[in-house]
Amino acid sequence: MGVRISGIALPAREPVSFVVDGEFLRAADASTSDGLWLLPGLVDVHSHPGIEAPGDVYDHEVFRRHMLAHRAAGVLTVRSPGSADPVLDRPDDPDLPRLARGGRWLATPGRFFEGYGRRVTEEDLPRAAVEDSVSGWCKVIGDWEPDDPPVPLDVLTATVEAVHAAGGRVAVHCQTAEGCRNAVLAGADSLEHGMHLDHSLLPRMAAQGTAFVPTLTTFGKTVQNLGNAKNPRRAEWIRSGWEHAFPTVRAAHEAGVTVLTGTDTQPCGEVAGEIAWLIEAGMPVEAAIGAGSWVAREWLGLPGLVDGGFADVAGYDADPAEDPGVLSRPTRIVLRGNEIR
């Protein structure tokens, strides 16, 4: 045992002290404190490390650079729902944040970027989804352009049921109202984006445990560039979705839906900014921080700051609940028991 970690842990707001035993935390005497506010790291549940833009071929050196950027920002867990990496069961790199893999993007005809992702027919979607969920998750492109039909409800339902039967989970890209509806009714584990999500579906999402990942960071950047849009219809659809997203985040939280932080953008390591967007949308500060930390970790099946939990810790000079801005400036980072900063 070597590294010692002590401070005030969120969300309990109680003094804790641990010593690091390999990759694990062991409780110690909490009578002393380093004066830091502690989180079990930040979490980005929608990031695509390994490519810079849609259409890029996966590059493992780019992947490492992206994951190191996450780590430097205190993001110690990343979920990649949709990856260009052709290796579904690549082992974790001990120097990098923990990675929850989501397989490749599963795209049926007429949906997703041309020639990108794993192209499958609607008939083959359930089988392909089971194959790609070998790493735990699969990602289905549930809809695409504003006036295009989404993946039919019966097809998506069969896909979710097949993956669940195999022990996996399903993330669904959905932005149209009908695409969001089908994803919820099919029982997807997470809705990615959900720009035009009908609020009447929120109670069902809460009851069945479907999480909502609004990815406000990437849409905020997209909206800034709509003045140069070549397709006015699509630009208006994105603009209206952006305006709808803020009340949706607030309503989802109030309905008991698990809202989580996902950035879906470059540069990597911007979860603190996504938390700020959730706060601006109306989530209570501590709930927004949880969405990017302990709540997200629990949703992914990872422990928080507890005896026997993973030695993943980010420390801050001030209480993030009082000053969320400190989340972009971690003072101390410990990952897998290794002192990073």
Side-chain angles (χ1 to χ4, degrees):
M1 297 187 183
V3 176
R4 185 182 180 93
I5 302 166
S6 61
I8 305 298
L10 293 176
R13 310 179 78 78
E14 295 178 349
V16 297
S17 186
F18 302 100
V19 290
V20 173
D21 180 10
E23 288 196 24
F24 300 95
L25 296 172
R26 303 300 178 193
D29 178 13
S31 60
T32 61
S33 173
D34 294 334
L36 296 179
W37 293 80
L38 305 178
L39 295 176
L42 298 179
V43 182
D44 192 331
V45 301
H46 193 127
S47 180
H48 304 293
I51 60 170
E52 295 286 350
D56 286 356
V57 174
Y58 175 82
D59 184 315
H60 197 63
E61 287 307 309
V62 173
F63 170 84
R64 281 187 54 82
R65 175 160 52 81
H66 287 166
M67 292 293 276
L68 288 172
H70 276 305
R71 190 185 75 175
V75 180
L76 305 185
T77 302
V78 174
R79 183 186 66 146
S80 180
S83 173
D85 186 354
V87 180
L88 295 177
D89 56 353
R90 191 186 299 274
D92 261 6
D93 185 326
D95 292 331
L96 303 180
R98 299 180 191 276
L99 179 66
R101 299 179 185 274
R104 293 157 287 187
W105 296 270
L106 297 171
T108 50
R111 304 180 181 99
F112 207 40
F113 299 104
E114 187 65 31
Y116 204 51
R118 181 182 178 186
R119 317 304 293 201
V120 298
T121 65
E122 290 180 355
E123 180 182 11
D124 286 341
L125 183 59
R127 176 186 57 79
V130 170
E131 290 174 353
D132 266 34
S133 67
V134 66
S135 55
W137 282 88
C138 70
K139 170 72 171 292
V140 175
I141 304 300
D143 59 21
W144 197 234
E145 294 297 330
D147 298 317
D148 293 340
V151 174
L153 176 57
D154 61 337
V155 173
L156 196 55
T157 300
T159 300
V160 172
E161 290 177 348
V163 172
H164 284 176
R169 302 170 82 181
V170 183
V172 178
H173 165 105
C174 49
Q175 299 181 112
T176 68
E178 189 177 0
C180 293
R181 171 185 174 275
N182 286 0
V184 174
L185 296 184
D189 296 282
S190 68
L191 264 64
E192 311 298 315
H193 313 307
M195 281 198 304
H196 293 87
L197 175 62
D198 185 338
H199 291 191
S200 68
L201 294 166
L202 295 173
R204 179 161 181 158
M205 290 177 65
Q208 67 191 23
T210 298
F212 177 42
V213 187
T215 63
L216 298 176
T217 298
T218 191
F219 283 120
K221 294 179 179 180
T222 301
V223 168
Q224 289 179 348
N225 296 318
L226 286 182
N228 301 320
K230 297 179 180 179
N231 185 333
R233 163 75 178 108
R234 190 173 192 278
E236 178 52 35
W237 174 65
I238 293 174
R239 185 177 290 106
S240 64
W242 173 247
E243 294 171 353
H244 183 69
F246 284 77
T248 300
V249 166
R250 183 170 58 253
H253 171 72
E254 292 172 351
V257 174
T258 299
V259 179
L260 301 173
T261 53
T263 59
D264 190 25
T265 190
Q266 304 291 345
C268 293
E270 294 192 343
V271 170
E274 183 72 11
I275 291 171
W277 277 122
L278 295 182
I279 294 169
E280 185 171 335
M283 281 185 69
V285 173
E286 193 157 307
I289 296 171
S293 184
W294 61 86
V295 172
R297 285 182 67 94
E298 181 179 4
W299 184 73
L300 289 169
L302 300 175
L305 296 178
V306 295
D307 183 35
F310 292 134
D312 300 343
V313 185
Y316 304 89
D317 287 331
D319 181 355
E322 297 293 332
D323 179 11
V326 302
L327 291 172
S328 63
R329 304 185 300 274
T331 300
R332 191 176 188 192
I333 298 173
V334 176
L335 174 63
R336 304 175 192 263
N338 296 314
E339 191 89 51
I340 306 300
R341 178 187 303 167

